[in-house]
Amino acid sequence: MEWTIRRLQGKLEGMTLAAGSGIGLLLLVAYGSLSLRLDAGGKELELKRGDIAYAPPGSRPSLQAGNGRMQELFVLGIEAGSPSLRELGLPAEGASLRTQRLDWMMGRLRTLLEEDGDREPGYRVRGEGIALEIAALWSREARAGRPAAVAARHLERMKAFIQDNYREKITKEDLGRCIGRTPNYAATLFRRGTGQTISGYVHAQRMRTAVYMLSESLLTIEEIADYLGYGEVSYFQRMFRRAYGMPPSRYSGRSD
């Protein structure tokens, strides 16, 4: 399966997105708001942060700025005619939804950008797996429809709890107490809403912080690992490599 990835930033008004023959586009709004016109005289989709739109092959989507002057947009091109994509049943016409997995989606798209930029051996294969996973979860969310308001509030409360406590060990019992429900209900709702386990989501949050600290701080790798709650540096290094396909020293120029 062929795939492409772009990240667009700035004032995107008037930009037309071109894709290769047979390529559909998944567009994630990471910042700001904008209107997406699928083709001349066609329908227009109003998008804001957290919205994902699908533009099928043959459309020539153009962007019109919404409120504010700046936007950030990830554009994932996928070969719609591939067997895997046909199995997902992506819509023949354009569609959009508000994802419940924004942090996860952005993390996977950034990894895809890094794979495309570095072009290490096997990057096409790894990238195909990431692109298929993103498309599969978009399709699943589209079929499920809008989540119930109460469940959505519970999910946001759990994500906020993790944001405040991700340096500590977080269990399903902790999240159950957070929303006043049973641990199993909390764990099931969290996985359904984010596409990740609780521990996977916690590690992803730690990894995002690790990237920032490796780039912007003067702390050593050992100090960063300890700050993020990893008792052993080797465990931190293993989790970092699993997330980004490279050791933490690649970000910092420091010795492992």
Side-chain angles (χ1 to χ4, degrees):
M1 186 193 80
E2 294 297 319
W3 58 270
T4 60
I5 181 69
R6 284 182 286 170
R7 181 185 185 188
L8 307 176
Q9 294 176 290
K11 192 171 183 180
L12 306 180
E13 183 173 359
M15 180 179 294
T16 299
L17 304 174
S21 176
I23 301 295
L25 300 177
L26 277 172
L27 305 100
L28 170 65
V29 180
Y31 182 79
S33 62
L34 51 85
S35 296
L36 176 71
R37 184 173 297 158
L38 294 176
D39 47 50
K43 70 176 180 178
E44 200 166 283
L45 302 174
E46 298 295 329
L47 307 174
K48 57 185 179 180
R49 174 177 164 82
D51 286 340
I52 304 180
Y54 177 67
S59 60
R60 289 183 57 81
S62 61
L63 305 176
Q64 304 297 320
N67 295 329
R69 293 179 295 176
M70 301 293 291
Q71 295 86 34
E72 180 180 10
L73 183 70
F74 289 92
V75 183
L76 172 62
I78 45 179
E79 185 183 357
S82 69
S84 298
L85 266 294
R86 286 201 302 270
E87 183 178 334
L88 292 179
L90 296 179
E93 298 182 354
S96 66
L97 61 82
R98 170 64 53 82
T99 182
Q100 296 297 308
R101 300 177 170 95
L102 178 59
D103 292 338
W104 181 88
M105 288 280 189
M106 289 177 61
R108 299 306 281 157
L109 287 164
R110 289 188 180 112
T111 299
L112 200 55
L113 277 169
E114 291 169 0
E115 287 291 322
D116 190 50
D118 294 340
R119 306 218 164 186
E120 298 284 350
Y123 86 97
R124 295 295 311 176
V125 176
R126 188 183 186 211
E128 178 179 338
I130 294 172
L132 282 173
E133 189 177 17
I134 292 170
L137 289 178
W138 185 91
S139 176
R140 185 178 297 174
E141 284 192 304
R143 292 172 187 272
R146 189 179 183 88
V150 173
R153 288 199 298 272
H154 285 161
L155 181 61
E156 290 307 310
R157 286 175 63 187
M158 289 189 288
K159 290 165 67 175
F161 179 85
I162 292 175
Q163 179 66 36
D164 291 338
N165 299 280
Y166 67 90
R167 295 167 55 198
E168 309 295 332
K169 181 179 179 181
I170 298 175
T171 67
K172 63 182 181 180
E173 286 77 16
D174 295 324
L175 295 190
R177 285 191 293 271
C178 171
I179 62 174
R181 297 296 179 93
T182 66
N184 286 340
Y185 173 88
T188 300
L189 177 61
F190 192 85
R191 187 180 185 97
R192 185 181 301 151
T194 65
Q196 295 175 278
T197 63
I198 296 168
S199 62
Y201 191 91
V202 170
H203 284 303
Q205 179 62 49
R206 290 178 177 182
M207 291 300 104
R208 285 192 292 272
T209 304
V211 167
Y212 174 79
M213 296 180 74
L214 287 165
S215 303
E216 303 297 333
S217 79
L218 297 178
L219 296 176
T220 66
I221 291 173
E222 290 78 8
E223 290 169 332
I224 292 171
D226 181 67
Y227 174 83
L228 293 175
Y230 292 104
E232 298 180 1
V233 176
S234 60
Y235 183 38
F236 167 66
Q237 292 170 328
R238 187 162 65 251
M239 296 303 297
F240 194 95
R241 185 182 289 274
R242 181 182 300 173
Y244 297 107
M246 62 187 73
S249 56
R250 179 77 170 271
Y251 272 88
S252 62
R254 286 171 273 190
S255 169
D256 279 347

